[in-house]
Amino acid sequence: MKTSRLLSAFPAAALVGCLGAGLIAAAPASAAPTPATLPAETTAAASPAAAAAAAPAPGATTDASRFTLAVLPDTQFYSRYSADQFIPRYGQDPFQVQTDWLAKNADALQIPFVTHLGDVVDRVGVNNEWIAADNAMKNLDEAKLPYSILAGNHDVRDSNDNLYDDQYDLANEPFLKWFGPNRAQNVSTFQGSDPTGFNQFHIFEADGQQYMVLALSWRASDATLAWAADVMAQHPTVPVILTTHQVINIEPDGETPRETDYGLRLWDKLIKNHDQIFLTLNGHFHGSSRLDKTNDFGHTVTSVVIDYQMAYEGGDGYLGLYEFDLTNDVINVQTASPWVTWKPQETLTSYDQPLLEGSQQQFSLPIDFSERFKGFNPTFAAGPADTPSLGQKARDILLDGFVGPDPITTEFPGSPADYPEVPGTLAHWQFNGLDGVVGTDVTIPDVAGDGSNDLHRADPAATNSVGTELSDVTIESDNVHGYSADQAGACFTNSSGSRYSYLTTDKDAPVNNADLSKGYTIETFVKMSPEWTPAANGWSKFLTHTGNRSKIDGFAKTQWDWTASPTALGISNLREFQWTTVPGDPTKGDRTNWSGEIMVDSWSHVAVVNDAQKGTITMYVDGAPVLRNAVDAAGVSANPDMPWIIGSDWVDDAARNGWNGCVGETRIIDHATGPADWLTSRADLTGFAVTDAPSGTLAAGSRVTTLSGTGLPGAEVRIDGGVTDAQPMTARAESNARVLALDAATVVAEDGTWSYSFPTPLTGSGSYSYEAVQALGTRASDPVTVAFAIAAAPVDPTPTPAPTPGTPGDPSATPAPVPGSDAPGGAVPIGGSAGSDGDLADTGAAPAGGLIAASLILMLGSALLLSQRRRRVSADS
């Protein structure tokens, strides 16, 4: 089935607001592009090392008294996916690479100590995860590089907030078996543990001074805090760095610190009244931030949170390097990834940056060490100023020989049609052209079909929704994902578990029963509202194939979602994208993919790709594959005749859990595809050719009427140019094929051919030059140049008597038609056929340098230009 849709080209105002597009891995999910952040065309750096090396490390000046404290944030996903994801693909996991790099560079970077901030593993009861963690930490043991390690909430059997460490069944805790006091006593800096064995303290020496690392595990009890206070009392002159899994959190903006109840407990009961504690380090909360507070002694205590487990590849190997510069009274902090620089270059994506340089990732903490510590250690002083910048040294080591990912060139979408059409597309919903409130009478078109898969809004009165109003769903076109050609989306507001709205296919829509046994690609653009909360919006869905999986014959019963829809894409209470589906063989149970943490009020492109032959389901967020993907799955199972919906979940045979945010264009394809075919890529305009055009010098009296060629179906053909040498005004007037004179219907036909007729046939003598392009709105192909000349009529030396009025030769008389003058093909000399000097141009004339700038400006400014693109659906769809 086929249909055509007339699409307006982007006006100039819209061009200002749209973004470059292509392979969207050019920006992380947490920094999804917004319409004001990128220029019209952006190329990701071929080597991030070049940019990183250009920026010196903080404090990279003269020699000073320096050392480096290394910080390992949450490693849980490295341990969890070591055996089945990382090692099969790379040979090592990021945890192993981190500790190996620290061990090998401890002397060069003067690292006296390494701290681990907890969540060593993800699933406390899975032995293989502890084995992976053990293998990684052995690198430090074998290098005799001292370290501390503590338990996070994932490392204890019961992390309930109502329990404390002295209430655990200590004999049944794996952490104590793998990283308890028996192992710690082999570390040279280890000074002792509390009675539970979960908490430990170390004293290391650097530049002639001692420092304590006080490592408190998850949910330190009052007894543990008393033990910690006693430890400090026994070492009253030693500055203390408190490490634990939770102190401060991070606000949704990803930068601002937020205090926690447990962190305030530690502050009130331990930190504020012990002046020795000058720095706290914690993980647990995803991202990085810091907070300064004043203790009871009038001194600053800085708390830092660092945790990248929800980033690409479970953290992408990022760790903290804290350079203590005692001479210049500053701690210079860098966030670096030995894993990124270790991985093979061909595996890198633009997410793989060796150094993170955001305001919470590279910074300096001013601290007058002797002044800050004199209340308990009046003799504290810096060591000899004989060490160059260790931060710069770390950068040099990381970037030595590093070649970043291959460059990615991105472009603006030129129009709503500027995306790759893919055979096997079952449905493709776009929102451009709609405005305001989406009522029940509004149709969201399936631009790939004949209307049978169009969406419409479900009548709230016919659902169980509570309090829903029509105004809850509106169209947004001002702040949309720049990589979407559609440049529009539907926004759902006031949503909760009981209040919801959704867009739905009809019950008899073909896509409801589509065959996906050969795999699928499902992609969409989505964002959460700034008002999104876990309590009201956790576990909501934005794209759902409705039904009841418990009613599918043979479906293996699962603990969760037993009566939910067979297939859905949504968000967890931790702001992770979740793809859940029942595969083609329902006896295998459901399959689930998970992303890292997604920021609110930020657009993301999500693609879920099922390769049926390999049995894999891979979720991509902004072009990057997530870490937690599914295997042993091909196709999907479904309940017959059940609609696809956008905007809510479907459980217990009814809608629920409305999506609090926006959803952009969405497409379903019946096979696996790659990034080049996704909606974030652009349509291919490179195949444009002029196959039928004059060339050379045509005989005097020739008439040029048309140009023709081949191109992308639906693209607009634009011609610009004219006479290039001095000619009488009448001759130049004949060459009026300017942009403003174009016929709006001059588009490439569905068979890939096009023909352009000059408004006035070209007959005057002189040289002519035209540039032809095909375009989708504001984006055009490289121009193809057509150049030719028409010879001047020979001059008769015999004087011609003045004609008698009304006789041949009288300018007022109408010339007799010349046989063959209107023959197709472009140019025919009067009185005969074209000679060898008037042959038509060869197919695909050579491209010229670039479009005439003035013509592009005219094109952008013309609100009348329309482009038409044919939509196709493959025969088997």
Side-chain angles (χ1 to χ4, degrees):
M1 53 189 173
K2 303 173 183 177
T3 186
S4 300
R5 297 187 186 275
L6 195 64
L7 300 176
S8 297
F10 280 2
L15 177 64
V16 175
C18 66
L19 263 181
L23 299 184
I24 74 174
S30 61
T34 56
T37 56
L38 290 181
E41 194 167 15
T42 301
T43 302
S47 176
T61 54
T62 58
D63 289 356
S65 171
R66 295 182 167 105
F67 70 89
T68 304
L69 176 71
V71 180
L72 289 171
D74 306 42
T75 57
Q76 62 193 76
F77 290 140
Y78 307 150
S79 299
R80 176 169 179 171
Y81 297 107
S82 175
D84 62 357
Q85 296 280 350
F86 289 114
I87 289 179
R89 184 177 180 189
Y90 298 106
Q92 292 194 62
D93 64 51
F95 196 176
Q96 293 173 321
V97 172
Q98 286 177 317
T99 55
D100 182 61
W101 186 86
L102 291 173
K104 288 178 177 177
N105 293 288
D107 290 341
L109 299 180
Q110 297 194 26
I111 301 174
F113 200 78
V114 178
T115 64
H116 193 302
L117 302 182
D119 275 2
V120 182
V121 300
D122 189 50
R123 297 171 296 179
V124 64
V126 178
N127 201 56
N128 281 344
E129 295 187 29
W130 292 105
I131 292 174
D134 175 57
N135 289 335
M137 295 303 288
K138 278 180 180 177
N139 288 330
L140 303 183
D141 290 327
E142 293 170 359
K144 300 199 179 302
L145 177 56
Y147 65 89
S148 63
I149 191 167
L150 56 91
N153 57 301
H154 282 262
D155 303 320
V156 297
R157 291 284 188 183
D158 189 347
S159 60
N160 190 313
D161 285 352
N162 295 320
L163 293 178
Y164 290 98
D165 57 8
D166 59 356
Q167 297 173 285
Y168 298 151
D169 179 1
L170 301 181
N172 194 34
E173 291 291 345
F175 178 86
L176 296 178
K177 169 187 174 184
W178 292 94
F179 294 106
N182 290 338
R183 182 169 185 159
Q185 67 184 0
N186 296 316
V187 178
S188 62
T189 56
F190 177 69
Q191 300 294 310
S193 291
D194 77 313
T196 70
F198 271 107
N199 307 282
Q200 56 187 244
F201 78 101
H202 297 249
I203 294 178
F204 69 88
E205 184 173 314
D207 272 18
Q209 298 290 342
Q210 289 185 331
Y211 301 85
M212 179 188 296
V213 171
L214 184 57
L216 303 183
S217 286
W218 183 250
R219 305 294 296 171
S221 62
D222 287 346
T224 295
L225 298 183
W227 166 84
D230 186 57
V231 163
M232 287 186 281
Q234 293 176 31
H235 303 85
T237 64
V238 181
V240 174
I241 301 165
L242 173 65
T243 63
T244 189
H245 193 56
Q246 179 189 163
V247 179
I248 61 170
N249 194 354
I250 309 169
E251 295 288 356
D253 63 9
E255 291 193 357
T256 305
R258 184 172 74 194
E259 295 197 82
T260 68
D261 291 341
Y262 180 72
L264 290 171
R265 165 185 160 83
L266 293 178
W267 175 262
D268 291 337
K269 293 196 171 187
L270 183 69
I271 299 171
K272 73 175 183 177
N273 53 17
H274 286 85
D275 198 29
Q276 289 170 260
I277 302 175
F278 69 98
L279 177 67
T280 77
L281 301 170
N282 73 273
H284 190 55
F285 298 107
H286 315 144
S288 54
S289 187
R290 64 187 188 273
L291 174 69
D292 287 341
K293 294 184 71 172
T294 302
N295 66 13
D296 289 347
F297 304 86
H299 293 146
T300 297
V301 179
T302 298
S303 294
V304 179
V305 54
I306 174 175
D307 174 15
Y308 292 101
Q309 71 185 64
M310 288 302 183
Y312 178 56
E313 290 201 325
D316 216 17
Y318 290 110
L319 51 79
L321 298 174
Y322 286 62
E323 180 193 52
F324 283 62
D325 184 337
L326 305 180
T327 300
N328 296 297
D329 289 322
V330 66
I331 302 174
N332 295 310
V333 180
Q334 293 192 96
T335 304
S337 175
W339 169 250
V340 167
T341 59
W342 178 88
K343 284 191 290 186
Q345 193 272 345
E346 66 272 13
T347 68
L348 300 178
T349 74
S350 58
Y351 288 86
D352 290 306
Q353 304 299 324
L355 294 151
L356 298 180
E357 297 179 342
S359 63
Q360 301 292 357
Q361 298 152 341
Q362 177 178 287
F363 54 89
S364 295
L365 298 174
I367 175 172
D368 186 332
F369 290 99
S370 59
E371 178 67 23
R372 173 64 179 83
F373 300 155
K374 75 177 183 180
F376 57 87
N377 186 350
T379 64
F380 187 94
D386 57 4
T387 303
S389 168
L390 297 175
Q392 188 61 48
K393 181 67 172 178
R395 298 170 79 91
D396 293 342
I397 292 172
L398 276 170
L399 300 177
D400 183 24
F402 174 67
V403 178
D406 292 332
I408 298 171
T409 299
T410 63
E411 294 182 82
F412 284 156
S415 79
D418 195 3
Y419 59 85
E421 291 192 22
V422 181
T425 296
L426 302 173
H428 181 184
W429 298 294
Q430 286 193 330
F431 298 90
N432 71 87
L434 304 177
D435 190 25
V437 173
V438 179
T440 57
D441 59 341
V442 173
T443 296
I444 294 86
D446 167 22
V447 296
D450 59 2
S452 57
N453 288 321
D454 290 350
L455 296 171
H456 62 268
R457 183 174 176 183
D459 186 351
T463 71
N464 293 324
S465 177
V466 178
T468 299
E469 299 177 2
L470 288 180
S471 58
D472 287 352
V473 185
T474 56
I475 298 298
E476 178 172 311
S477 57
D478 293 332
N479 177 22
V480 294
H481 197 298
Y483 294 143
S484 170
D486 188 29
Q487 289 294 289
C491 294
F492 302 80
T493 59
N494 301 312
S495 299
S496 65
S498 60
R499 181 167 179 167
Y500 53 83
S501 303
Y502 61 90
L503 312 174
T504 179
T505 58
D506 293 331
K507 187 175 182 179
D508 60 352
V511 71
N512 299 344
N513 298 308
D515 179 9
L516 298 180
S517 61
K518 296 179 181 179
Y520 53 83
T521 300
I522 297 176
E523 53 177 327
T524 187
F525 296 88
V526 64
K527 76 170 179 178
M528 285 176 284
S529 166
E531 287 75 37
W532 189 98
T533 66
N537 309 120
W539 303 110
S540 58
K541 304 294 191 294
F542 47 88
L543 177 64
T544 305
H545 192 185
T546 60
N548 187 326
R549 57 180 62 185
S550 70
K551 297 179 180 179
I552 296 175
D553 290 343
F555 177 57
K557 188 167 184 176
T558 55
Q559 180 180 2
W560 307 109
D561 300 331
W562 171 236
T563 60
S565 57
T567 295
L569 183 56
I571 198 81
S572 76
N573 62 333
L574 297 178
R575 299 204 312 264
E576 306 155 312
F577 286 139
Q578 179 204 41
W579 169 257
T580 175
T581 188
V582 178
D585 180 356
T587 63
K588 295 182 176 182
D590 60 352
R591 294 292 183 268
T592 306
N593 300 60
W594 300 91
S595 78
E597 182 184 23
I598 305 300
M599 296 297 103
V600 300
D601 200 26
S602 179
W603 280 96
S604 298
H605 171 262
V606 184
V608 181
V609 180
N610 173 224
D611 186 324
Q613 290 187 335
K614 295 180 179 179
T616 59
I617 306 174
T618 305
M619 179 194 293
Y620 298 83
V621 178
D622 289 325
V626 303
L627 183 60
R628 295 177 288 174
N629 287 304
V631 296
D632 192 24
V636 298
S637 294
N639 303 100
D641 303 323
M642 292 301 296
W644 283 83
I645 63 174
I646 290 176
S648 78
D649 197 359
W650 189 275
V651 180
D652 294 331
D653 300 305
R656 58 180 291 183
N657 281 12
W659 177 248
N660 191 6
C662 302
V663 182
E665 66 175 322
T666 301
R667 185 166 69 170
I668 302 173
I669 300 172
D670 69 0
H671 61 278
T673 64
D677 290 326
W678 293 346
L679 294 172
T680 49
S681 293
R682 304 280 67 87
D684 185 5
L685 297 177
T686 61
F688 180 67
V690 180
T691 60
D692 193 11
S695 64
T697 301
L698 310 181
S702 296
R703 293 164 55 94
V704 178
T705 60
T706 61
L707 300 175
S708 58
T710 58
L712 177 71
E716 181 184 19
V717 177
R718 298 171 181 167
I719 311 293
D720 183 66
V723 176
T724 62
D725 54 2
Q727 296 292 326
M729 178 60 69
T730 54
R732 282 183 282 134
E734 290 179 333
S735 176
N736 61 354
R738 301 294 182 180
V739 171
L740 293 180
L742 281 176
D743 182 351
T746 306
V747 296
V748 181
E750 192 170 346
D751 64 0
T753 64
W754 60 268
S755 180
Y756 172 74
S757 297
F758 289 99
T760 302
L762 309 181
T763 61
S765 61
S767 298
Y768 296 82
S769 179
Y770 293 90
E771 286 188 333
V773 300
Q774 65 174 345
L776 291 172
T778 59
R779 200 172 68 87
S781 65
D782 289 336
V784 174
T785 299
V786 175
F788 59 92
I790 298 178
V795 178
D796 186 350
T798 304
T800 303
T804 302
T807 62
D810 178 4
S812 66
T814 301
V818 180
S821 63
D822 291 321
V828 177
I830 295 176
S833 60
S836 60
D837 61 349
D839 292 341
L840 299 182
D842 293 336
T843 299
L851 272 177
I852 298 172
S855 67
L856 262 182
I857 293 172
L858 288 171
M859 283 187 282
L860 293 177
S862 175
L864 299 177
L865 284 181
L866 297 174
S867 62
Q868 179 177 324
R869 188 168 182 197
R870 299 284 181 176
R871 308 302 194 188
R872 300 184 177 184
V873 177
S874 64
D876 60 351
S877 68

